[in-house]
Amino acid sequence: MTNTAGETRHGGAVHRQIVDIVASRTLYDESYLLPDSHFEADLGIDSVILESILASVNEHFTLSPPLAAGPATIRELVDAVEQTLGGDAAPAGRRADDAAPAGRRAGAGENGDAVLETVVAAAQRHTQYQRHQLPVDADFESELGIDSVVLASIVTDAARELGLADGSLDPAGVTSLRALAAGLRCARESARSADRAPSFAPAPLSVSQQGDARTEAPPEWDGRSMKDFVEERSRDLFAKARSFGTYLRRRETEQLYWYGMPLRSRCGNRAVIFDELVGREREFLMFASNNYLGLANHPKVIEAVCDATRTYGATHTGSRFIGGTNVLHKELERRLAAFKQRPACIVYPGGYAANLGAISALVKSYDTLVVDRLNHMSIVDGARLSGGIRKIYQHNDMADLERILKRADDRSGGRLIVADGVFSMHGDICDLPEIVRLAKEYDARIMIDDAHATGVLGERGSGTTEHFGLKGEVDLELGTMSKTLAGMGGFVVGEEEVVEYLRFYSNSYVFAANIPAGVAAGLIASIDVIESEPERITRLWANIRLLHGQLADAGFDLENTRSAILPIVIGDERKAMEMGRAVRARGLYCQTVVFPGVPLGDARLRVSVTCEHTREDLENAAGIFVESAREVGVLPSAA
């Protein structure tokens, strides 16, 4: 292969570093990044990603003047950088390991360690890091921001490159690239030893023995989870879908999966659902709804939706900037800002879109995003989309958060701490007073996701900051309107300048259709009801305390919940699904949460309490949970 200009003049130092940067921004394998591949035509790199690449190149090489758009290939980009550097072999001011060959740089193979090099290359593909940003002893979560899902992909990728079968190494307990390489090295040696060992075929069973085995063997349990289909690879892109389909049909036959069954009534304390597993309608006690204040069925909310829809039509067919803004959207933003007691508000098409849009607009590759380990997936995806440096602190562990902020204190970029107000699968509340204190000490900004706190926490129901008496101390408060507020959409409130910036730089706002006017009208009516009927919050908390007390007295592990979400923690995925099946058979509908909703080994039932539940509903529910738990062995049988 013909060398690039950089390879010819400087042994590839500049070329090597630029390839690292392009790979980290596109997640391409480096072997795919050929010198003369056109950024757009061959690599599919659009102008937005190319701008990010150029910004990283300018920062990495401290170029003055900075490069502007122009280079169309890696070769041209290398030439432009070398011309700006004036022919230096390595950029001034950079660490020696940045310019060193790949095998000697921090994060690359040490002393020709091929296994470690394979692991680092896989990590680079599945993160947006350059090689010098992957020190081999750095902790995956707190220093590299690599969560369990990304780690599983790295392990699978590296194992396959080393010729190992999927599942050869369990990543649980592996905390660094060096430790991962050591584990894969042991797995490879074990596989080689097994290949060398003589094999002995067992004697075939007699016909009578085969019959006995068939009679006495218990039904085979498929111990896989949804995690096992994430990294299934084939030349047929849909092969993973067919494999998962077989697994899903078996789970449904066993009546262990019943996700997505259709409602045939309003969703209140009870609901009529078409039970697809038995083929008929059934009425259930409903404990799977986030309709915490019962507003989805409030006459004033429904009337507002209908009136506005008749006036303004079904929808707008446009984004907020292009034909999609209605007077009701402006009024909704004003009312949400007033409800949250903040200067300004921006409404997105959904809560997920709000996290993706706000995080990716504010955080860039040179900034640091510090997140709680149990944050909602929309925050995780927003972090990935932003390209920022992600750090993960242990759940609600403020000492760990401070340790991470200290380590990031010497970085030139900004810092944003993001946490759920109420954690959606655990029900506990973030330690906001300490987060605020640490953010001030280490010059960081804060965003709190109040999806499950709005309408639940605080005397007025305005969320986590009101609950802790910290109104105005949090930079951005985010929420969804599909839960307590009984509509659709998401929002962010904060300072007016920041909100206006988000309007122009949040792609999930600029390039997405807006919520219909009827939905906006219903949301305004919901705020009216929350403010005029505070007894709904009082009734909600009376119900929470009653059911929490009964479940705790029965011996269930409810973790540290302090909200309307009561997790019944079971751990084992099979036990959790079996208990969910037993609960459903007794006429109660709640969520069975397994991977990816929670990590493997942390399966649970998620019970949502609303103000519409009666005392009889709550007592019946407690009895159903206890009976079901005893049936499947989660609780001991009654004496």
Side-chain angles (χ1 to χ4, degrees):
M1 182 183 295
T2 304
N3 289 338
T4 68
E7 288 172 313
T8 302
R9 284 148 54 182
H10 302 310
V14 173
H15 173 264
R16 175 75 264 171
Q17 293 167 75
I18 286 177
V19 168
D20 282 353
I21 292 170
V22 176
S24 72
R25 292 288 167 265
T26 62
L27 303 186
Y28 279 135
D29 188 287
E30 293 181 12
S31 63
Y32 194 72
L33 300 174
L34 302 178
D36 292 312
S37 295
H38 193 276
F39 285 134
E40 288 188 343
D42 297 320
L43 300 176
I45 296 173
D46 60 28
S47 59
V48 176
I49 298 175
L50 182 57
E51 189 66 31
S52 173
I53 290 171
L54 290 174
S56 295
V57 168
N58 286 324
E59 179 193 17
H60 182 79
F61 291 97
T62 58
L63 298 181
S64 181
L67 291 181
T73 66
I74 289 177
R75 185 190 300 279
E76 291 178 14
L77 184 53
V78 170
D79 288 343
V81 169
E82 290 192 319
Q83 184 176 357
T84 304
L85 290 174
D88 293 335
R94 307 303 289 183
R95 295 192 308 270
D97 64 356
D98 287 341
R104 294 202 305 272
R105 279 177 290 152
E110 298 175 356
N111 300 321
D113 187 337
V115 176
L116 185 56
E117 172 62 23
T118 299
V119 166
V120 173
Q124 189 179 359
R125 282 193 294 274
H126 291 283
T127 66
Q128 295 191 1
Y129 290 135
Q130 300 169 40
R131 290 192 175 219
H132 73 272
Q133 295 174 310
L134 290 169
V136 297
D137 292 312
D139 182 79
F140 279 134
E141 291 191 339
S142 66
E143 296 181 84
L144 299 179
I146 295 175
D147 60 27
S148 59
V149 177
V150 176
L151 178 58
S153 300
I154 294 171
V155 172
T156 301
D157 214 4
R160 286 176 176 171
E161 288 196 29
L162 295 170
L164 296 171
D166 291 350
S168 299
L169 176 67
D170 182 358
V174 177
T175 60
S176 69
L177 293 168
R178 189 190 301 278
L180 176 54
L184 288 171
R185 202 175 292 111
C186 289
R188 189 166 65 171
E189 288 303 314
S190 296
R192 288 172 175 170
S193 298
D195 289 341
R196 290 193 295 266
S199 60
F200 299 95
L205 294 174
S206 67
V207 174
S208 61
Q209 287 173 322
Q210 292 175 16
D212 290 343
R214 285 195 299 269
T215 302
E216 296 177 4
E220 182 184 356
W221 167 253
D222 185 344
R224 294 177 297 174
S225 75
M226 287 177 61
K227 175 179 178 294
D228 293 286
F229 303 95
V230 173
E231 286 296 322
E232 183 173 325
R233 303 182 190 187
S234 170
R235 290 185 64 84
D236 178 2
L237 186 66
F238 294 162
K240 62 176 75 70
R242 281 187 280 275
S243 296
F244 176 70
T246 302
Y247 166 86
L248 177 61
R249 286 189 292 274
R250 179 167 180 176
R251 284 284 188 262
E252 290 173 339
T253 300
E254 296 166 332
Q255 298 200 1
L256 297 176
Y257 273 22
W258 54 90
Y259 304 111
M261 286 189 180
L263 285 159
R264 290 194 171 176
S265 71
R266 291 184 177 184
C267 188
N269 61 323
R270 293 175 179 270
V272 176
I273 297 175
F274 184 78
D275 188 332
E276 295 174 327
L277 298 183
V278 298
R280 61 181 175 85
E281 288 185 359
R282 296 177 61 196
E283 184 179 73
F284 287 90
L285 277 172
M286 174 54 70
F287 283 86
S289 171
N290 298 318
N291 184 26
Y292 298 123
L293 297 184
L295 300 179
N297 304 317
H298 198 288
K300 292 182 179 178
V301 175
I302 295 172
E303 183 180 0
V305 172
C306 294
D307 287 348
T309 301
R310 280 189 287 266
T311 301
Y312 297 106
T315 188
H316 313 285
T317 70
S319 72
R320 284 292 296 270
F321 281 165
I322 307 176
T325 296
N326 181 283
V327 292
L328 291 173
H329 300 120
K330 296 278 192 175
E331 176 63 9
L332 174 60
E333 289 178 338
R334 187 189 71 79
R335 290 296 304 278
L336 283 167
F339 178 61
K340 288 283 188 174
Q341 297 180 341
R342 298 307 309 278
C345 173
I346 174 175
V347 166
Y348 291 81
Y352 209 102
N355 264 322
L356 258 62
I359 294 172
S360 61
L362 292 169
V363 178
K364 299 304 174 186
S365 61
Y366 40 80
D367 298 316
T368 301
L369 192 69
V370 186
V371 297
D372 189 289
R373 188 171 186 266
L374 297 184
N375 276 347
H376 191 265
M377 189 57 71
S378 58
I379 297 173
V380 175
D381 285 348
R384 291 173 180 161
L385 184 62
S386 75
I389 300 161
R390 185 167 61 136
K391 309 289 186 183
I392 303 172
Y393 63 92
Q394 295 303 303
H395 177 52
N396 253 349
D397 186 336
M398 295 298 100
D400 197 37
L401 172 58
E402 182 168 21
R403 182 176 63 84
I404 290 171
L405 290 171
K406 280 182 179 177
R407 291 189 176 186
D409 205 29
D410 60 348
R411 297 193 60 84
S412 59
R415 287 170 287 280
L416 178 66
I417 303 169
V418 184
D420 285 348
V422 171
F423 292 88
S424 60
M425 295 301 154
H426 300 260
D428 55 343
I429 306 172
C430 71
D431 188 352
L432 188 58
E434 271 298 287
I435 291 175
V436 168
R437 183 187 71 80
L438 291 171
K440 289 179 178 178
E441 182 174 347
Y442 293 97
D443 195 25
R445 298 291 185 176
I446 305 171
M447 185 168 82
I448 297 298
D449 184 343
D450 263 354
H452 293 275
T454 301
V456 176
L457 297 186
E459 185 177 348
R460 297 173 51 254
S462 69
T464 310
T465 56
E466 183 190 6
H467 174 79
F468 285 108
L470 291 170
K471 276 295 176 188
E473 297 293 326
V474 169
D475 299 288
L476 297 171
E477 297 174 54
L478 180 144
T480 178
M481 296 178 293
S482 60
K483 298 176 174 56
T484 299
L485 295 177
M488 285 298 296
F491 65 92
V492 175
V493 295
E495 295 299 322
E496 189 165 352
E497 286 184 345
V498 178
V499 167
E500 287 306 307
Y501 180 88
L502 293 177
R503 288 193 197 281
F504 286 86
Y505 289 93
S506 291
N507 289 344
S508 60
Y509 175 90
V510 176
F511 298 102
N514 196 13
I515 61 174
V519 173
L523 291 164
I524 294 168
S526 291
I527 298 172
D528 289 339
V529 175
I530 292 174
E531 293 176 340
S532 64
E533 300 181 20
E535 63 271 16
R536 288 178 176 268
I537 298 175
T538 303
R539 194 161 64 244
L540 169 64
W541 275 97
N543 288 348
I544 293 169
R545 285 189 285 269
L546 175 59
L547 186 55
H548 185 285
Q550 293 191 347
L551 295 178
D553 290 345
F556 287 112
D557 178 4
L558 305 178
E559 291 188 320
N560 298 311
T561 180
R562 296 164 60 197
S563 69
I565 299 165
L566 305 183
I568 298 178
V569 182
I570 297 168
D572 180 74
E573 190 164 290
R574 179 179 183 178
K575 283 285 187 187
M577 288 189 290
E578 288 175 344
M579 182 171 164
R581 178 176 61 191
V583 165
R584 180 184 140 274
R586 288 170 168 82
L588 187 148
Y589 203 90
C590 71
Q591 296 176 332
T592 304
V593 184
V594 297
F595 182 91
V598 290
L600 290 177
D602 200 26
R604 60 194 54 215
L605 302 190
R606 180 185 182 275
V607 181
S608 297
V609 183
T610 77
C611 74
E612 293 188 306
H613 288 123
T614 66
R615 185 179 186 90
E616 181 183 5
D617 293 335
L618 300 168
E619 290 176 346
N620 286 343
I624 288 172
F625 287 125
V626 170
E627 289 176 7
S628 302
R630 287 173 176 167
E631 176 186 317
V632 302
V634 170
L635 290 180
S637 299

